[in-house]
Amino acid sequence: MQQQIPKNMFERASVDLKEAEKLSKPSLSFWKDVFVRFRKNKLAMFGLVLLAIIVFMAIFGPMMTKYNYRTTDLMNANLAPSGDHWFGTDDLGRDMFTRTWNGARISLFIGLAAALIDLFIGVIWGSVAGYRGGRVDEFMMRFADILWGVPYLLLVILLMVVLDQGLGTMILAMTITGWINMARIVRGQVLGLKNQEYVMASQTLGASTSRILFKHLIPNSMGAILITVTLSIPSAIFTEAFLSFLGLGVPAPKASWGTMANDGLAALRYYPWRLFFPATFICLTIFAFNVIGDGLRDALDPRLRK
């Protein structure tokens, strides 16, 4: 005897419209997905806000007072922070608030300039070495290894002593070997990507080396490149501060955070604010860049593992 099938088995299944709407939403693009992941990282967002405040003050801070960073007033030397001089004054009576934010411009400029030059050289060098392979890769990376073997700080200090002090000299000294880490990272990314199907298809269609590098390989390595740049900027800022602290920074009357910290150290016992403010902002800036870099790494990591 044939078993009857209940009629309710043929009824249309109920649909939750809210759930259907969620499923029908378009998928996020790569960078939107990264931004959503990054935004969920509260520490990274705090670092981003902190960095935005520091950059804002570097641009507009010197305009908030009536003082010039180079104007001296010996009658008001070494004044403690007050309503008239928010960060106090130095041994020449110069307003520390104005000098701190002028110094921020120099420190941030050197850090960004050095990182961008390292980015340009490192990406080109590493991508060409990784894509060409063979003897080209061997020669290029052995040359990079030789430079890498030279003590970084020793080389930078030597160049600063031999050449005239200034912004250009400091940036040049910092980028002599600073690009090598970027080159190694990009080379590793390109080695893992150059045998992908879309790259081989471009080669079959006769695409030039430059098109393959700039259209396919470098854009698909942007995650690792972006993280490396974000973490190299605070390293450059610290190197600048270290050199300036040794007296190898920008010449007077200009001042970076490092030169201000150097001047303030001698007066630490009696006038601690002269060291406190530049040192504090060096630490805050490095902290902000580092947490942003860590946040980007966490946001990009699921993609980079594929």
Side-chain angles (χ1 to χ4, degrees):
M1 183 176 179
Q2 187 176 5
Q3 184 178 3
Q4 291 185 346
I5 302 175
K7 292 183 178 181
N8 59 4
M9 296 290 291
F10 296 95
E11 293 179 359
R12 179 182 295 179
S14 59
V15 178
D16 189 336
L17 295 180
K18 292 183 179 180
E19 293 296 325
E21 183 180 358
K22 291 180 181 179
L23 294 174
S24 64
K25 288 183 178 179
S27 59
L28 295 175
S29 65
F30 173 79
W31 291 108
K32 285 184 179 179
D33 185 29
V34 170
F35 176 73
V36 170
R37 294 173 183 273
F38 180 83
R39 192 172 56 183
K40 292 179 180 179
N41 189 323
K42 294 181 179 179
L43 183 60
M45 288 301 297
F46 171 76
L48 186 62
V49 172
L50 177 61
L51 181 60
I53 294 173
I54 292 173
V55 172
F56 176 86
M57 291 302 298
I59 297 172
F60 298 104
M63 307 176 190
M64 296 179 181
T65 67
K66 59 183 179 181
Y67 302 104
N68 186 286
Y69 76 93
R70 66 175 71 193
T71 302
T72 61
D73 183 5
L74 296 178
M75 298 298 295
N76 291 308
N78 293 318
L79 295 180
S82 64
D84 194 29
H85 297 279
W86 298 336
F87 287 1
T89 63
D90 64 7
D91 57 341
L92 296 178
R94 295 172 296 193
D95 183 66
M96 286 286 293
F97 181 87
T98 306
R99 287 180 64 78
T100 296
W101 296 119
N102 267 285
R105 294 177 179 180
I106 294 176
S107 294
L108 291 173
F109 172 77
I110 291 175
L112 290 172
L116 290 176
I117 294 174
D118 290 344
L119 167 69
F120 177 77
I121 299 175
V123 168
I124 299 298
W125 193 277
S127 60
V128 171
Y131 181 69
R132 286 297 185 182
R135 292 183 178 179
V136 174
D137 179 35
E138 183 73 17
F139 171 78
M140 294 179 72
M141 296 316 296
R142 292 298 76 76
F143 177 78
D145 289 342
I146 292 172
L147 287 180
W148 187 259
V150 179
Y152 173 69
L153 283 177
L154 181 61
L155 177 62
V156 172
I157 291 173
L158 178 62
L159 289 174
M160 291 299 298
V161 171
V162 173
L163 302 177
D164 294 333
Q165 293 185 23
L167 291 177
T169 302
M170 184 173 292
I171 294 172
L172 173 64
M174 293 169 62
T175 55
I176 288 292
T177 60
W179 55 271
I180 297 175
N181 185 50
M182 175 68 74
R184 287 179 166 180
I185 291 174
V186 173
R187 174 182 176 270
Q189 291 290 311
V190 170
L191 285 175
L193 292 171
K194 70 176 185 179
N195 292 322
Q196 296 292 322
E197 289 82 358
Y198 61 88
V199 178
M200 298 176 68
S202 295
Q203 293 172 337
T204 303
L205 294 173
S208 63
T209 299
S210 60
R211 179 175 177 80
I212 293 174
L213 289 178
F214 292 101
K215 183 70 176 179
H216 299 295
L217 295 178
I218 293 177
N220 282 285
S221 304
M222 281 305 297
I225 292 172
L226 186 59
I227 293 172
T228 305
V229 170
T230 307
L231 295 176
S232 65
I233 294 174
S235 176
I237 292 175
F238 177 80
T239 302
E240 181 278 324
F242 176 76
L243 292 173
S244 298
F245 189 79
L246 294 178
L248 299 174
V250 293
K254 293 181 180 179
S256 67
W257 283 336
T259 57
M260 294 179 66
N262 183 29
D263 294 339
L265 180 62
L268 177 61
R269 182 174 180 181
Y270 299 103
Y271 314 112
W273 61 86
R274 289 178 50 188
L275 176 62
F276 173 79
F277 290 109
T280 297
F281 288 115
I282 291 172
C283 295
L284 289 177
T285 304
I286 293 175
F287 168 78
F289 274 112
N290 282 334
V291 296
I292 291 171
D294 288 341
L296 284 173
R297 179 159 45 200
D298 292 341
L300 287 162
D301 199 40
R303 301 278 186 170
L304 294 177
R305 284 198 296 262
K306 292 183 179 180

